[in-house]
Amino acid sequence: MDAMLVDAHCHLTGSYLGEDQVGATLDRARAEGVTGFIAVGTDLEDSRRVLALAHATPGIQASLGVHPHEAKGWNPEVDAALAALAADPAVRFVGETGLDWHYDLSPRDEQEAAFRAQIRLALAVGKPLMIHTRSAPEATVRILAEEGADRVRGIIHCFSEDRAFAEKALELGFYLSFSGIVTFRKAEAVRDVAAWAPADRILVETDAPFLAPVPYRGKPNEPGFVRYTAEAVAGLRGLSAQALADLTTRNLEALCGWTPSS
């Protein structure tokens, strides 16, 4: 693939990838035509590591937040520290934040409190949100609407819902980011949305090291594998892989003001 391609959501720090592995992982991705990466933090310490990586590595920008799994650790001190980090120009998104009512690794009320606080943080710093939602579609869009998230918009990362949810997210100004799930045999609803969604609201991602696309399903995911997701979405939309790469890169720039060449 010759076009500039961006992985709109990947994990390159903490327990996900050792510091000694990052360089080789990114080299493999660049060999596949992936030149931009949104690296995502999942708690305060991981967010600090992500920001340091973004400062040190061309082509990486940051999304900092507290994942719903970690919401039980949210407190005013975390809020203040994350707010200070989020003001950095290398930070393009606030999150990964949202609701995960599938695993419920944090109590639901604590997930909601951390989610609402991070929406307010995004509004305060004027940056879009990186949203995680699983088994909580109605509550996710309700909270986004109640907190005025349409003023900053953001990404529904690793889109795994149906067209009804997509329509509500789009109404709030959000973008839909498709992961390797779009290549899975039983993901008909996700493919339907990937084919139908407005061209100016789609992105592609890996969520590495999770959810590797076919032909690597079941193996650890890498940012370079986003090309397979991009090719799948391109096929669904009747586009070339290069056209899809160009489109999704322009979409990211429109949302957060950054491209790998900036």
Side-chain angles (χ1 to χ4, degrees):
M1 180 180 291
D2 296 327
M4 183 188 301
L5 185 59
V6 177
D7 183 351
H9 185 114
C10 56
H11 299 279
L12 301 173
T13 54
S15 62
Y16 302 110
L17 193 66
E19 289 185 15
D20 59 336
Q21 299 174 293
V22 174
T25 299
L26 296 180
D27 286 345
R28 289 191 294 272
R30 292 182 180 112
E32 296 289 347
V34 187
T35 55
F37 314 87
I38 301 295
V40 180
T42 55
D43 60 26
L44 180 57
E45 289 308 311
D46 190 39
S47 292
R48 289 183 172 128
R49 289 189 289 265
V50 166
L51 185 55
L53 183 64
H55 284 160
T57 312
I60 293 181
Q61 294 281 273
S63 179
L64 308 186
V66 174
H67 191 287
H69 290 346
E70 310 299 330
K72 55 186 174 290
W74 185 267
N75 58 47
E77 290 75 24
V78 170
D79 194 339
L82 192 61
L85 295 175
D88 191 288
V91 178
R92 298 290 169 163
F93 294 88
V94 173
E96 172 174 4
T97 183
L99 302 173
D100 193 311
W101 291 359
H102 177 77
Y103 288 109
D104 279 326
L105 296 185
S106 287
R108 292 185 179 183
D109 61 336
E110 295 183 14
Q111 291 187 45
E112 180 173 339
F115 185 21
R116 289 184 183 274
Q118 289 175 87
I119 297 171
R120 293 167 189 162
L121 171 57
L123 290 166
V125 297
K127 295 181 180 182
L129 287 149
M130 184 73 73
I131 299 300
H132 173 109
T133 179
R134 187 162 186 190
S135 300
E138 294 85 3
T140 297
V141 294
R142 174 178 54 79
I143 291 169
L144 289 171
E146 288 174 355
E147 294 292 341
D150 57 310
R151 287 180 278 161
V152 288
R153 306 182 298 169
I155 295 174
I156 305 296
H157 114 83
C158 193
F159 186 87
S160 58
E161 295 291 341
D162 56 15
R163 192 181 296 201
F165 174 84
E167 289 174 342
K168 294 175 183 176
L170 291 166
E171 287 174 1
L172 291 169
F174 278 72
Y175 289 56
L176 312 178
S177 186
F178 297 95
S179 69
I181 291 174
V182 78
T183 71
F184 296 176
R185 183 172 58 86
K186 295 183 178 180
E188 291 90 352
V190 175
R191 282 191 289 275
D192 170 66
V193 175
W196 158 84
D200 62 351
R201 296 287 196 87
I202 62 171
L203 299 165
V204 288
E205 65 170 83
T206 57
D207 197 18
F210 311 107
L211 299 170
V214 174
Y216 294 101
R217 188 175 184 186
K219 298 180 180 180
N221 203 357
E222 295 192 3
F225 297 168
V226 76
R227 62 163 291 187
Y228 297 98
T229 297
E231 289 167 358
V233 175
L236 291 168
R237 300 182 69 92
L239 298 173
S240 69
Q242 179 165 341
L244 193 283
D246 290 340
L247 172 65
T248 52
T249 299
R250 290 196 307 270
N251 288 348
L252 184 68
E253 181 178 20
L255 177 59
C256 74
W258 172 79
T259 64
S261 60
S262 62

